[in-house]
Amino acid sequence: LINSFLLLKYFFLLPAIYLLPINQYSQDSIQLSPPQTSSSAGFFQRSTCIRFEFRQQDAIIRNALNGEEPEENSAIYKEPICVSGSVIIKAKRFAPGFLPSAVTRVQCIKTSGAVKAIEGTKPEQPYNKSGLKGLNDGQSGGFKPDEQWLGFRNDTPEWWVQFTKKLKLTKIHISLLQAHGSWIFYPSKIELISFTGKLLGLGLFNSDPDPAPDEKRIFSFPLKKKIKGLIIRVCNFSSLP
């Protein structure tokens, strides 16, 4: 049995180096690095602004808000992109003589701000800096385990979420981090349960023990019910190979 962590919110190998003759080297074969931004996701109640950065002469950032990948004729990024509704923003770098960069994807989610209180399983050190309030602080978590994430070792952590009033919600969003090299795994499943014990939603996760890439993702659970609150129950793997 290995103590692993579940983080909510949300060995490297050195390749061989080959030297090519100068006449075989081409700038056109070099791919630009992707645009930089402070977060790959953001929760907000009224509006939010997303900023991208890239410092290289003659390079520009192009972005798209329609779900498609930016192309050479897409809008040029000149200032922070401010939105008032849920949207996925994608950005790429372009420069003469270079291959376009990979896509940087930012998911912006508008929330209701309806949570009154959260009670339940408390996070454990060292992933407990913000306490349970971190489950609803509008932060999705950074790219590293120590950036705003809450960690839980319990087999079945559970939280009772109370709303300010009875509401008809469309979705519940939960941000998770996976980093197998640090023994941080997704759960086996997440259950959304009413205060009367009725199952409102269920999310099942891949149980394959093989190594998986590090990633942070926001999982969205449809919830078209009028409720005063709900229970979020997370089932972790009790043991790992």
Side-chain angles (χ1 to χ4, degrees):
L1 174 65
I2 298 176
N3 286 332
S4 64
F5 264 108
L6 160 76
L7 292 200
L8 281 85
K9 274 301 276 194
Y10 296 164
F11 315 114
F12 47 85
L13 301 176
L14 295 179
I17 299 176
Y18 299 93
L19 300 179
L20 297 177
I22 294 178
N23 60 3
Q24 292 186 27
Y25 177 81
S26 172
Q27 188 181 42
D28 294 335
S29 65
I30 299 176
Q31 183 179 29
L32 296 169
S33 58
Q36 301 298 310
T37 186
S38 59
S39 177
S40 65
F43 298 96
F44 64 95
Q45 294 184 21
R46 295 183 179 179
S47 64
T48 187
C49 295
I50 303 300
R51 294 170 173 81
F52 294 102
E53 292 184 0
F54 180 56
R55 298 182 182 137
Q56 180 169 321
Q57 187 175 4
D58 298 328
I60 59 174
I61 297 174
R62 294 185 181 271
N63 61 263
L65 283 72
N66 57 3
E68 298 180 357
E69 289 197 8
E71 299 177 345
E72 292 186 354
N73 59 350
S74 298
I76 298 177
Y77 173 82
K78 297 180 180 179
E79 58 185 5
I81 301 172
C82 297
V83 298
S84 57
S86 297
V87 68
I88 295 177
I89 302 173
K90 294 183 179 181
K92 289 176 70 172
R93 290 170 174 165
F94 296 84
F98 292 86
L99 296 175
S101 73
V103 173
T104 296
R105 180 181 183 272
V106 180
Q107 185 174 5
C108 303
I109 298 176
K110 188 171 186 177
T111 63
S112 65
V115 175
K116 179 181 179 180
I118 301 177
E119 298 178 354
T121 308
K122 291 180 171 54
E124 300 185 34
Q125 294 183 348
Y127 308 114
N128 63 343
K129 294 180 181 178
S130 59
L132 286 182
K133 66 181 181 180
L135 292 175
N136 188 48
D137 63 359
Q139 303 295 322
S140 65
F143 292 98
K144 298 178 181 179
D146 59 350
E147 294 179 345
Q148 302 166 331
W149 293 98
L150 303 182
F152 303 88
R153 276 200 183 99
N154 311 61
D155 288 344
T156 312
E158 182 178 281
W159 304 277
W160 288 61
V161 183
Q162 296 181 342
F163 303 145
T164 53
K165 60 181 180 179
K166 198 169 186 178
L167 297 171
K168 185 176 182 180
L169 303 180
T170 57
K171 290 181 180 179
I172 295 288
H173 304 285
I174 300 177
S175 183
L176 300 173
L177 175 71
Q178 173 176 265
H180 285 191
S182 300
W183 295 104
I184 297 170
F185 293 79
Y186 285 153
S188 59
K189 66 178 178 179
I190 293 179
E191 299 174 336
L192 305 180
I193 305 168
S194 70
F195 288 156
T196 60
K198 183 179 179 181
L199 185 65
L200 301 175
L202 176 66
L204 300 176
F205 294 79
N206 186 5
S207 60
D208 190 345
D210 291 338
D214 293 356
E215 64 175 7
K216 48 172 287 188
R217 288 181 59 188
I218 295 177
F219 295 90
S220 300
F221 299 84
L223 187 69
K224 296 182 179 180
K225 298 285 184 180
K226 194 169 185 179
I227 52 177
K228 186 66 184 291
L230 79 163
I231 301 167
I232 300 176
R233 181 179 296 154
V234 176
C235 300
N236 283 332
F237 292 103
S238 58
S239 63
L240 297 170

